[in-house]
Amino acid sequence: MALTFAKPDRRLDITVDRTGRHVTVAASGRIDLATETPWHEAVMRSCTATDDTTRVTVDLTAVTFLSWASTAVLLRAHRACQRRGRALRVVATGAVLTGLHLTRLHEDITVTPAHRPTQTTRPRACSGWLIA
């Protein structure tokens, strides 16, 4: 009997939106060693641009995995924003938010928890007990 393992989905979609002097870099998918480079470039380009940007938001709410090594990108982005008088805010949820707190990154960078819409489900009519 042979075991087969599912390969992780390596897709990463990145969007950069500008509204006035506010830039939002949103990612969707996995951010790890294989996909970090385009995300790193988009974040750093937004933080170091020579324009009138005053605030950069990194939206990680649709990220399913953020590697520990990739958190260093956020710290570099924070420092780049500070040097240019910009504010950096990271929005995250779930396991990504937990990882940012475990690395204590929230002590240096503004990390805002995103609230997922609550799903309204009907209560189940049964309990977890097996009655014989």
Side-chain angles (χ1 to χ4, degrees):
M1 177 180 190
L3 294 175
T4 59
F5 297 97
K7 292 183 180 179
D9 188 4
R10 296 276 185 212
R11 285 180 294 169
L12 178 66
D13 297 318
I14 303 163
T15 59
V16 179
D17 293 320
R18 182 177 179 89
T19 305
R21 298 189 309 172
H22 178 215
V23 176
T24 300
V25 180
S28 174
R30 289 178 59 92
I31 299 176
D32 57 18
L33 218 49
T35 60
E36 178 184 293
T37 302
W39 176 71
H40 176 257
E41 289 172 358
V43 170
M44 292 308 292
R45 193 176 314 116
S46 298
C47 292
T48 61
T50 56
D51 56 19
D52 62 345
T53 300
T54 58
R55 187 175 67 200
V56 177
T57 299
V58 178
D59 184 353
L60 302 176
T61 56
V63 171
T64 57
F65 177 80
L66 179 69
S67 71
W68 293 90
S70 298
T71 59
V73 172
L74 296 173
L75 194 55
R76 284 193 292 273
H78 172 67
R79 290 179 183 146
C81 282
Q82 279 185 326
R83 285 192 296 270
R84 288 160 181 81
R86 297 177 178 156
L88 175 73
R89 181 176 74 127
V90 177
V91 181
T93 187
V96 173
L97 179 64
T98 302
L100 294 175
H101 282 278
L102 287 174
T103 59
R104 303 179 87 66
L105 204 60
H106 67 286
E107 294 176 357
D108 297 318
I109 298 174
T110 303
V111 176
T112 305
H115 299 289
R116 289 185 178 172
T118 56
Q119 295 179 350
T120 56
T121 58
R122 297 176 62 197
R124 298 177 87 180
C126 62
S127 71
W129 293 93
L130 176 64
I131 300 173

